[in-house]
Amino acid sequence: MAGNSFGGLFRLTTWGESHGPAIGCVVDGCPPRIPLSASDIQHWLDRRRPGQSRFTTQRNEPDTVEILSGVFEGETTGTPIGLAIQNVDQRSKDYGDIKDQFRPGHADYTYWVKYGIRDYRGGGRASARETAMRVAAGAIARKVLEALIGPAVTIRGALVQLGPHAIDRSRWDWAAVEENPFNCPDRQAVQAWATYLDGVRKQGSSAGALIEVVASGIPAGLGEPIYDKLDGDIARALMTINAVKGVEIGDGFAAASIPGDIAHDEMRMAGDQVRFLSNHAGGILGGISSGQDIVARFVVKATSSLPNPRRSVNQRGEEVDIRTTGRHDPCVGIRAVPVGEAMLAIVLADHLLRQRAQCGLS
Amino acid sequence: MAGNSFGGLFRLTTWGESHGPAIGCVVDGCPPRIPLSASDIQHWLDRRRPGQSRFTTQRNEPDTVEILSGVFEGETTGTPIGLAIQNVDQRSKDYGDIKDQFRPGHADYTYWVKYGIRDYRGGGRASARETAMRVAAGAIARKVLEALIGPAVTIRGALVQLGPHAIDRSRWDWAAVEENPFNCPDRQAVQAWATYLDGVRKQGSSAGALIEVVASGIPAGLGEPIYDKLDGDIARALMTINAVKGVEIGDGFAAASIPGDIAHDEMRMAGDQVRFLSNHAGGILGGISSGQDIVARFVVKATSSLPNPRRSVNQRGEEVDIRTTGRHDPCVGIRAVPVGEAMLAIVLADHLLRQRAQCGLS
Amino acid sequence: MAGNSFGGLFRLTTWGESHGPAIGCVVDGCPPRIPLSASDIQHWLDRRRPGQSRFTTQRNEPDTVEILSGVFEGETTGTPIGLAIQNVDQRSKDYGDIKDQFRPGHADYTYWVKYGIRDYRGGGRASARETAMRVAAGAIARKVLEALIGPAVTIRGALVQLGPHAIDRSRWDWAAVEENPFNCPDRQAVQAWATYLDGVRKQGSSAGALIEVVASGIPAGLGEPIYDKLDGDIARALMTINAVKGVEIGDGFAAASIPGDIAHDEMRMAGDQVRFLSNHAGGILGGISSGQDIVARFVVKATSSLPNPRRSVNQRGEEVDIRTTGRHDPCVGIRAVPVGEAMLAIVLADHLLRQRAQCGLS
Amino acid sequence: MAGNSFGGLFRLTTWGESHGPAIGCVVDGCPPRIPLSASDIQHWLDRRRPGQSRFTTQRNEPDTVEILSGVFEGETTGTPIGLAIQNVDQRSKDYGDIKDQFRPGHADYTYWVKYGIRDYRGGGRASARETAMRVAAGAIARKVLEALIGPAVTIRGALVQLGPHAIDRSRWDWAAVEENPFNCPDRQAVQAWATYLDGVRKQGSSAGALIEVVASGIPAGLGEPIYDKLDGDIARALMTINAVKGVEIGDGFAAASIPGDIAHDEMRMAGDQVRFLSNHAGGILGGISSGQDIVARFVVKATSSLPNPRRSVNQRGEEVDIRTTGRHDPCVGIRAVPVGEAMLAIVLADHLLRQRAQCGLS
């Protein structure tokens, strides 16, 4: 109820500012006796880590996670898991000149109006640095899903559009995602994207992006109608990621134009299993998982920290022109891929526990 | 935590099935001393009521709401407001032939897998009939916003696309919305929409739609980062409406293609007030309202109850062909407009109370 | 978060005032496929019903419960269960003369200060009439416990002290509880209690009481440390019953004087089962059930509606002498017994679901 | 919903085990612009610190708190406040011999049954060490109360009974509490308590205690009926403190014997203020604060870690005799005083924010 927690039974609470001493989180409700080590978490954090190519910020944060509680002799104990990452490359001086100014497209102005005070250094609490903790908690959520459902569960994501350039879905290859700096599943799109993003950066601009996340191997039955529908929680989970402006499931916004006679997934039997003949629904019907792949997409707007001057105002109500000189991602969507995956994993772990509670998933 | 509640401080809990004796809700947390009568609520319910044109279902529900508690001598008392609507036109016989079959695109299958039992009559709990209670609660939320902010607050909605036919936004006129059966703000689009929807219906098909909801007069400062961001809660609120497949704020999915140098709203002063020079953000920055219009859109897929046969299976694992013969909306998006408005009002009322709690909005 | 709900996964929300058209509740989170009929609930409501002896109020409320949703063909469906009881014997005129006065020991004054408005008729929302809905929800909770644990679960209560007169625990007989109008487990105490309470009533006074509730057959493992401990939730559950001023578990307040070498329950094996040699703990260790009987007591203060004049003030800040002429229980503790049982059942059902979620109770 | 959080709008989440690397908490929902430093918190932690007399454990924990987030330039920012204390005197070897045994009166057995794994070192998560974080959060809650109500608010506590020895309330002096190692408000009781506790310790036993906590200067109107009553939340808050077996408000359990004609607090006017002529209610009527002192008591059972052998069993189902050789408090009630104060402060801060939200406390 106080804003910095997500989830019901599998519950994440994060804390920390971009330039404070550390960031961290508490994961409460994790079932006991699940093998967990810091390296299990670090693996996913490293995917989100900046500074790995010229297309992400050069801020150099090793982002080494520590497990402070809730794990004993290599297994979870059912008690809250405290995690922390020390902040080691803060460079507060980068931000001094904009301390009383509001960057267009940032939360600077709204935090100021709401709270009357703000930690202006690096965006403070509004920094995307907070998403490191989502990735860490998502790593634990993956472990929960694997332990309770089985190793066949996968939660993957990819960038499917960079600026105006979309992939060709017929060339989708999950293996490609790991091979390029964009998390792009279409190998042939990579070169054009690199050229485009280099151009954008040279002009002092930035690019938006579209990300798709997919969960496979999730059983039917997860999701609690009416207001805790699985898709409702996914929408909230993804929309709260920094810079996200929209979320869709399955056909998503295309559904406006698809007539009813082809919009719905027909069913047949495959042995004793129900088989859907298509997946317009994105794996969710009536807010409950159907057993098909769960498919969600979210859009990330272009980075708002830009080197060219922008018209703005400051805390004293004076008009100013503002430039942001720190190190920033030209396309924050790239590093949002593991964050989207993590949020999907967290939602699914939470709903899996809820399903066990009420319906005793068998 | 049990699925049928929405909101934190202004909290809605609904109950009821399509063909049970009644549907109802409890609105808890409404501030005291707000004038409220049944007719205040009925006004908005009547907008959602079916049977008002040939483009909505002919099911004839008067949907007369009763206030059962929480109001004394014409004012709210701060205690929970119980509302109920008797179900009077249920025709259970319409549904008998599909009682053990799963309609494609419906929640039939997933409810069955999840619960092992379902009230098949009219969709049971999964029926869009539940949304009447959202509209009722939304009417109370509007009263709260008016009482605490002032009469200048408006929350309005319109259908901006029907099937493949979008409006021309340059012709947008809020007054037009009330004048046609589609809630369409573009008078010139109405005739084409009518022709299109008649055609769809004759073919035994149905149409999707896109709805836009706008809140004006909302002060800056509403929204609780990180996980209770205003846009996160709006996304969840709208995504939980029946048949919704996507939600976007401001530029929404178009933001993928908009470069950073034009994607962000610059600011200037207008007297002693901050003035934004555009509204790409849709009135929300960092999850907090900016004082601009809050603009959200959501997409509703085509109605899944169709008269033509569809391939499916039944509860015994047999393959069947299924036809839905009941009375259904050819485009459920039309009647989703007041529901979307209501959900937006509920989210805003809830966040307004939260803002008062923590920051003492003055 | 808005005050009129209790529980997490098994969640009760109540609404209604003493003299409104009806009272009701929503029970959300009940597992599906549990047999449930109105008569299952009515059975327990009848135990709480007034007017059954000269020792309870003569208000004649049949308190007939209706199930409005969530049950289909005799079984729960997993959707919210709506219940309502019509108010049929309201006699608003009884209360007119105290409409702007604050009865000592009542919530009149604090509701007025808090809300600036109150439904003065019969105590409005603060009336013990609300507890009928707790009993109704408790009946459903009992069904959940039976279905998920087995028929050996029992939840029983008794009055163990009336005014200054305590029972002799060596004569405790559960069968006696049903045989006398006091819910007294000590047959030899009944006559003295009757004489005492008649005397109290003749003097225009009233009596307090102590109630004990016991749950047997509850497995070890229920309760979520640290803040959702089983005893913490029981304490809250019982303390929220009207007129309750204290709650204790096991040895309770006597524990202050019991030295450590005898205060703790030693353990031995009985075959392959752990056997405790005593039950000082009242069945809860570290906030988690131990498998022993769960034993809680709560104290109910003397009825505050009294016929003799009491010094008070009114809403205009004038000093008044106030007499309450309505029909009231001389000892509200008697009818609090089934309410205490119900709250214990609700807490246990909620924690049973939580245990299934996180630890997969096997 | 996951057990390790307390509060709604002012919300505490704790993490950490007795012998892990650190313990910590997140306080979410604290209003912005409240002056706060580590020393404000350290002040109260030092009152709870062990090793300050021969009557508390000699475990030597400096318990130095760090503020990791949520405070900027000496003021709260409205973002979550992360706190941590490093564990520096753990001596894991003390506990090795009881690692697979269940100490009578401890949570050892129930954690084992519930989770199937436990951190046996020093009680792990069930250790009273967790209460340090309650005291830390309570220090912040005090700041909130002072900032929003005024400096006249005080929250104090005292030990009013040690073993069988109660204080004489006519000699109550708050100043005395700070002058003796028992937090005793009756100077004449101190010598007898010291003699008694020395004796208990020499016999290898331990003592229970009764604690009273009092909040003064709290305005009328705090508390949310029906289930979030102020007394219900206080009961839960205090009952979740380690070793607590009972909670009472105002007259508490004595209310069973007090007849109605003297049990209720009459009212008169004092100028334009309502004045109560007594405080049987302990400052709460109908779950809402009345403006009088809020008075609660809770009982702490005797320490369960004892040097004399006790009959028990181990994880393999073998009968064992068990002795606890670590350093332990002979009466844990003494150090529970600041913990009880802290929990009362947290409940009040939470309800103060809720009151502002719904009723706009003026």
Side-chain angles (χ1 to χ4, degrees):
Chain A
M1 190 64 244
N4 293 279
S5 296
F6 185 87
L9 290 175
F10 184 89
R11 188 165 179 84
L12 166 67
T13 300
T14 70
W15 53 266
E17 276 81 37
S18 173
H19 285 57
I23 60 172
C25 73
V26 187
V27 174
D28 199 6
C30 182
R33 304 226 278 173
I34 294 178
L36 183 69
S37 67
S39 64
D40 291 328
I41 301 170
Q42 195 65 48
H43 170 79
W44 299 103
L45 281 170
D46 288 348
R47 279 196 60 207
R48 179 198 163 279
R49 197 151 52 87
Q52 304 189 82
S53 83
R54 71 179 186 274
F55 302 111
T56 56
T57 173
Q58 295 310 299
R59 176 166 164 160
N60 180 20
E61 289 280 7
D63 281 357
T64 306
V65 70
E66 283 176 283
I67 298 177
L68 298 171
S69 66
V71 176
F72 185 60
E73 298 180 345
E75 291 187 323
T76 60
T77 60
T79 64
I81 302 171
L83 303 177
I85 293 175
Q86 304 299 314
N87 287 332
V88 296
D89 182 35
Q90 303 157 353
R91 295 205 199 175
S92 292
K93 63 181 170 348
D94 282 351
Y95 297 95
D97 53 339
I98 57 166
K99 64 183 275 189
D100 66 351
Q101 301 183 356
F102 306 128
R103 292 166 296 169
H106 272 81
D108 296 343
Y109 173 68
T110 51
Y111 269 67
W112 176 252
V113 172
K114 183 177 185 69
Y115 298 114
I117 182 176
R118 68 193 173 97
D119 180 349
Y120 52 80
R121 300 167 303 165
R125 181 68 182 152
S127 166
R129 182 143 182 70
E130 188 269 348
T131 61
M133 282 301 145
R134 305 185 186 219
V135 173
I140 300 173
R142 289 174 190 268
K143 285 280 185 181
V144 171
L145 294 169
E146 283 168 24
L148 302 186
I149 297 174
V153 173
T154 61
I155 295 170
R156 295 180 290 191
L159 207 71
V160 297
Q161 184 178 332
L162 178 75
H165 300 285
I167 61 160
D168 178 338
R169 297 183 73 89
S170 72
R171 292 196 294 256
W172 190 298
D173 180 353
W174 281 112
V177 171
E178 307 287 326
E179 299 167 3
N180 64 74
F182 301 107
N183 293 311
C184 176
D186 172 4
R187 283 186 186 84
Q188 296 187 33
V190 171
Q191 185 54 49
W193 287 15
T195 304
Y196 174 76
L197 200 54
D198 280 333
V200 160
R201 205 169 34 166
K202 272 172 208 148
Q203 295 158 29
S205 188
S206 57
L210 186 62
I211 292 114
E212 181 164 320
V213 286
V214 180
S216 302
I218 301 298
L222 305 196
E224 305 290 321
I226 301 294
Y227 297 104
D228 294 349
K229 284 176 172 166
L230 188 57
D231 39 2
D233 280 5
I234 292 170
R236 177 183 161 217
L238 297 176
M239 192 67 98
T240 63
I241 299 171
N242 304 52
V244 171
K245 299 305 288 182
V247 180
E248 61 181 12
I249 307 287
D251 281 343
F253 278 87
S257 319
I258 301 175
D261 51 325
I262 58 173
H264 306 293
D265 306 309
E266 295 181 292
M267 287 170 270
R268 279 295 179 241
M269 298 303 297
D272 61 351
Q273 297 292 308
V274 169
R275 179 172 57 96
F276 288 90
L277 306 183
S278 54
N279 191 10
H280 292 282
I284 302 175
L285 285 167
I288 303 171
S289 65
S290 67
Q292 289 201 283
D293 278 3
I294 295 170
V295 181
R297 276 176 299 281
F298 61 102
V299 61
V300 177
K301 68 177 180 180
T303 313
S304 48
S305 296
L306 297 171
N308 293 336
R310 308 290 295 153
R311 289 173 289 177
S312 187
V313 300
N314 66 20
Q315 292 178 188
R316 293 180 301 281
E318 299 160 346
E319 300 189 339
V320 296
D321 285 345
I322 187 171
R323 297 175 60 239
T324 307
T325 53
R327 299 151 297 161
H328 298 284
D329 289 278
C331 173
V332 285
I334 298 169
R335 289 172 59 213
V337 175
V339 181
E341 295 172 10
M343 293 311 292
L344 182 56
I346 290 167
V347 170
L348 290 169
D350 190 27
H351 276 280
L352 179 62
L353 297 185
R354 293 178 70 169
Q355 169 71 355
R356 280 158 54 104
Q358 197 196 11
C359 297
L361 191 77
S362 56
Chain B
M1 190 63 244
N4 293 279
S5 295
F6 186 87
L9 291 175
F10 183 88
R11 186 164 180 85
L12 166 67
T13 301
T14 70
W15 54 266
E17 276 82 37
S18 173
H19 285 57
I23 58 172
C25 73
V26 187
V27 174
D28 199 7
C30 183
R33 304 226 278 173
I34 294 178
L36 184 69
S37 67
S39 63
D40 291 329
I41 300 170
Q42 196 65 50
H43 170 78
W44 299 102
L45 281 171
D46 290 347
R47 279 195 60 207
R48 178 198 162 280
R49 197 152 50 87
Q52 304 190 80
S53 82
R54 73 178 185 276
F55 302 110
T56 56
T57 173
Q58 295 308 302
R59 176 166 164 159
N60 181 19
E61 290 280 7
D63 281 358
T64 306
V65 70
E66 284 176 282
I67 298 177
L68 298 171
S69 66
V71 177
F72 185 60
E73 298 180 346
E75 289 186 324
T76 60
T77 60
T79 64
I81 302 171
L83 303 178
I85 294 175
Q86 304 299 315
N87 287 332
V88 297
D89 182 35
Q90 303 156 351
R91 298 205 197 172
S92 292
K93 64 180 171 343
D94 280 352
Y95 297 95
D97 54 339
I98 56 164
K99 62 184 275 189
D100 65 351
Q101 301 182 355
F102 306 128
R103 293 167 295 170
H106 271 81
D108 297 343
Y109 172 68
T110 51
Y111 268 67
W112 176 251
V113 173
K114 183 178 185 70
Y115 298 114
I117 184 175
R118 68 193 174 96
D119 180 349
Y120 53 79
R121 300 168 302 166
R125 181 69 181 150
S127 166
R129 182 144 182 70
E130 188 268 351
T131 61
M133 281 302 146
R134 303 186 187 218
V135 173
I140 300 174
R142 288 175 192 267
K143 285 281 185 181
V144 170
L145 294 169
E146 283 168 24
L148 301 186
I149 298 173
V153 173
T154 61
I155 295 170
R156 295 180 290 191
L159 207 71
V160 297
Q161 184 178 332
L162 179 75
H165 301 286
I167 61 161
D168 178 337
R169 297 184 71 90
S170 72
R171 292 197 293 256
W172 190 298
D173 181 352
W174 280 112
V177 171
E178 306 287 326
E179 299 167 4
N180 63 74
F182 301 108
N183 293 309
C184 176
D186 172 4
R187 284 187 185 82
Q188 295 187 34
V190 170
Q191 185 52 52
W193 286 15
T195 304
Y196 174 76
L197 199 53
D198 281 332
V200 160
R201 206 170 31 166
K202 272 172 209 150
Q203 296 158 29
S205 189
S206 58
L210 187 62
I211 292 112
E212 181 164 320
V213 287
V214 181
S216 301
I218 301 297
L222 306 196
E224 304 290 322
I226 298 293
Y227 296 104
D228 295 348
K229 284 176 172 166
L230 188 57
D231 38 2
D233 280 4
I234 291 171
R236 177 183 160 215
L238 298 176
M239 191 67 98
T240 64
I241 299 172
N242 304 52
V244 172
K245 297 306 287 180
V247 179
E248 62 181 12
I249 307 286
D251 282 343
F253 278 86
S257 318
I258 302 174
D261 51 323
I262 59 175
H264 305 292
D265 306 308
E266 295 181 292
M267 287 169 269
R268 279 296 180 240
M269 298 303 297
D272 61 352
Q273 298 292 307
V274 169
R275 178 171 59 94
F276 288 90
L277 307 184
S278 53
N279 190 10
H280 293 280
I284 302 174
L285 285 167
I288 303 171
S289 65
S290 67
Q292 288 201 285
D293 278 2
I294 294 169
V295 181
R297 276 175 300 280
F298 60 101
V299 61
V300 177
K301 69 177 179 178
T303 313
S304 47
S305 298
L306 297 172
N308 294 336
R310 308 291 294 154
R311 288 173 289 177
S312 187
V313 300
N314 67 19
Q315 292 178 189
R316 294 180 301 280
E318 299 160 346
E319 299 189 340
V320 296
D321 285 344
I322 187 169
R323 297 175 59 238
T324 307
T325 53
R327 299 152 295 163
H328 297 285
D329 290 277
C331 174
V332 287
I334 297 170
R335 289 173 57 213
V337 174
V339 181
E341 294 173 11
M343 292 311 292
L344 182 56
I346 290 167
V347 170
L348 290 169
D350 189 28
H351 276 281
L352 180 61
L353 297 186
R354 293 177 71 169
Q355 169 70 357
R356 280 158 53 104
Q358 197 196 10
C359 296
L361 191 75
S362 57
Chain C
M1 188 65 244
N4 292 279
S5 296
F6 186 87
L9 291 176
F10 183 89
R11 187 165 179 84
L12 166 68
T13 300
T14 70
W15 53 266
E17 277 82 36
S18 173
H19 286 57
I23 59 172
C25 73
V26 187
V27 174
D28 199 6
C30 183
R33 304 227 278 173
I34 294 178
L36 184 69
S37 67
S39 64
D40 290 329
I41 301 170
Q42 196 64 48
H43 170 77
W44 298 102
L45 281 171
D46 289 348
R47 279 196 60 206
R48 179 199 162 278
R49 197 152 50 87
Q52 304 190 79
S53 83
R54 73 179 186 272
F55 302 111
T56 56
T57 173
Q58 296 308 301
R59 176 165 165 161
N60 181 19
E61 290 279 7
D63 281 358
T64 305
V65 71
E66 284 176 282
I67 298 177
L68 298 171
S69 67
V71 176
F72 184 60
E73 297 181 346
E75 290 187 324
T76 59
T77 59
T79 64
I81 302 171
L83 303 177
I85 294 174
Q86 304 299 314
N87 287 332
V88 298
D89 182 35
Q90 303 157 352
R91 297 207 198 172
S92 292
K93 63 181 172 343
D94 280 352
Y95 297 94
D97 53 340
I98 57 165
K99 63 183 274 191
D100 65 351
Q101 301 182 356
F102 306 127
R103 292 167 296 170
H106 272 81
D108 297 343
Y109 172 68
T110 51
Y111 268 68
W112 176 251
V113 173
K114 183 177 186 72
Y115 297 113
I117 182 175
R118 68 192 174 97
D119 180 349
Y120 53 79
R121 300 167 304 164
R125 181 69 183 151
S127 166
R129 183 146 182 69
E130 187 268 350
T131 61
M133 281 303 146
R134 303 185 187 218
V135 173
I140 300 173
R142 289 174 191 267
K143 285 280 186 182
V144 171
L145 294 170
E146 284 168 25
L148 301 186
I149 297 173
V153 172
T154 61
I155 294 170
R156 295 180 290 191
L159 208 71
V160 297
Q161 184 178 331
L162 178 76
H165 301 285
I167 61 160
D168 178 339
R169 297 183 72 89
S170 71
R171 292 196 294 254
W172 189 299
D173 181 353
W174 280 112
V177 171
E178 306 287 325
E179 299 167 2
N180 64 74
F182 301 109
N183 292 311
C184 176
D186 172 4
R187 285 187 185 83
Q188 295 187 34
V190 170
Q191 185 52 52
W193 286 15
T195 304
Y196 174 77
L197 199 55
D198 280 333
V200 159
R201 207 170 32 166
K202 271 173 207 149
Q203 295 160 29
S205 188
S206 57
L210 187 62
I211 291 112
E212 181 165 320
V213 287
V214 181
S216 302
I218 302 298
L222 306 195
E224 304 291 322
I226 300 295
Y227 296 104
D228 296 349
K229 285 176 172 167
L230 188 57
D231 39 2
D233 280 4
I234 292 171
R236 177 183 161 214
L238 297 176
M239 191 67 98
T240 64
I241 299 172
N242 304 52
V244 171
K245 299 304 288 182
V247 179
E248 61 181 13
I249 307 288
D251 282 343
F253 278 87
S257 318
I258 301 175
D261 50 325
I262 59 174
H264 306 294
D265 306 310
E266 295 180 293
M267 287 169 268
R268 280 295 179 240
M269 299 303 296
D272 62 350
Q273 298 292 307
V274 169
R275 179 172 57 95
F276 288 91
L277 307 184
S278 54
N279 191 9
H280 292 281
I284 302 173
L285 285 167
I288 303 171
S289 65
S290 68
Q292 290 201 282
D293 279 3
I294 294 170
V295 181
R297 277 175 299 280
F298 60 102
V299 62
V300 177
K301 69 177 180 178
T303 314
S304 48
S305 297
L306 297 172
N308 293 335
R310 310 289 295 152
R311 290 174 287 178
S312 187
V313 301
N314 66 20
Q315 293 178 188
R316 294 180 300 280
E318 300 160 346
E319 300 189 340
V320 296
D321 285 344
I322 187 170
R323 297 174 59 238
T324 307
T325 53
R327 299 152 296 162
H328 297 285
D329 290 279
C331 174
V332 286
I334 298 169
R335 289 173 56 213
V337 174
V339 181
E341 294 171 11
M343 293 310 292
L344 182 56
I346 291 166
V347 170
L348 290 169
D350 189 28
H351 277 281
L352 180 61
L353 297 185
R354 293 177 69 170
Q355 170 69 357
R356 281 157 53 104
Q358 197 196 11
C359 296
L361 190 75
S362 57
Chain D
M1 190 64 242
N4 293 279
S5 295
F6 186 88
L9 291 175
F10 183 89
R11 187 164 179 86
L12 167 67
T13 300
T14 69
W15 53 267
E17 276 81 36
S18 173
H19 285 57
I23 59 172
C25 72
V26 186
V27 174
D28 198 6
C30 182
R33 303 226 279 174
I34 294 178
L36 183 69
S37 67
S39 63
D40 291 328
I41 301 170
Q42 196 65 49
H43 171 77
W44 299 102
L45 281 170
D46 289 347
R47 279 195 60 208
R48 179 197 162 280
R49 197 150 52 86
Q52 305 190 80
S53 82
R54 73 179 186 273
F55 302 111
T56 56
T57 174
Q58 295 308 302
R59 176 166 163 160
N60 180 19
E61 289 279 8
D63 281 358
T64 305
V65 70
E66 283 175 282
I67 298 177
L68 298 171
S69 67
V71 176
F72 185 61
E73 297 180 346
E75 290 187 323
T76 60
T77 60
T79 63
I81 303 171
L83 303 178
I85 294 175
Q86 304 299 315
N87 286 333
V88 296
D89 182 35
Q90 302 157 353
R91 295 205 199 175
S92 292
K93 64 179 168 353
D94 280 352
Y95 296 95
D97 54 339
I98 57 164
K99 64 183 272 191
D100 65 351
Q101 302 183 355
F102 306 129
R103 292 166 297 170
H106 272 81
D108 297 343
Y109 172 68
T110 51
Y111 269 66
W112 176 251
V113 173
K114 184 178 184 72
Y115 297 113
I117 182 175
R118 69 193 172 96
D119 180 348
Y120 53 79
R121 300 167 303 165
R125 181 68 182 152
S127 166
R129 183 145 182 69
E130 187 269 349
T131 61
M133 281 302 146
R134 304 185 186 217
V135 172
I140 300 173
R142 289 174 191 267
K143 284 282 185 180
V144 170
L145 294 169
E146 283 168 24
L148 301 186
I149 298 174
V153 174
T154 61
I155 294 171
R156 295 180 290 190
L159 207 72
V160 297
Q161 185 178 332
L162 178 76
H165 301 286
I167 61 160
D168 178 338
R169 298 183 72 90
S170 71
R171 292 195 294 256
W172 189 300
D173 181 353
W174 281 111
V177 171
E178 307 286 326
E179 299 166 3
N180 63 74
F182 301 108
N183 293 310
C184 176
D186 172 5
R187 286 186 184 82
Q188 295 187 34
V190 170
Q191 185 54 48
W193 286 15
T195 304
Y196 173 77
L197 200 54
D198 281 332
V200 159
R201 207 170 30 166
K202 272 172 208 151
Q203 295 159 30
S205 188
S206 57
L210 188 62
I211 292 113
E212 181 165 320
V213 287
V214 181
S216 302
I218 302 298
L222 306 196
E224 304 291 322
I226 300 294
Y227 297 104
D228 294 349
K229 285 176 171 166
L230 188 57
D231 37 3
D233 281 4
I234 292 171
R236 177 183 160 216
L238 297 176
M239 191 68 98
T240 64
I241 299 171
N242 304 53
V244 171
K245 299 303 289 182
V247 179
E248 61 181 14
I249 307 287
D251 281 344
F253 279 86
S257 319
I258 301 175
D261 51 324
I262 58 174
H264 305 293
D265 306 309
E266 296 182 290
M267 287 169 270
R268 280 295 180 241
M269 298 304 296
D272 61 352
Q273 297 293 307
V274 170
R275 179 172 58 96
F276 289 90
L277 307 183
S278 54
N279 191 10
H280 292 279
I284 302 174
L285 285 166
I288 302 170
S289 65
S290 67
Q292 289 200 283
D293 278 2
I294 294 170
V295 181
R297 276 176 299 281
F298 60 102
V299 61
V300 176
K301 69 177 180 178
T303 313
S304 47
S305 297
L306 297 172
N308 294 335
R310 309 290 295 154
R311 288 174 289 177
S312 189
V313 301
N314 67 19
Q315 291 178 191
R316 294 180 301 280
E318 299 160 346
E319 300 189 339
V320 296
D321 285 345
I322 187 170
R323 298 174 60 237
T324 307
T325 53
R327 299 150 297 163
H328 298 285
D329 290 277
C331 174
V332 286
I334 298 170
R335 290 172 57 212
V337 174
V339 181
E341 294 172 11
M343 292 310 292
L344 182 55
I346 291 167
V347 170
L348 290 169
D350 189 28
H351 276 280
L352 180 62
L353 297 186
R354 292 177 70 169
Q355 168 70 357
R356 280 158 54 105
Q358 196 196 13
C359 296
L361 190 77
S362 57

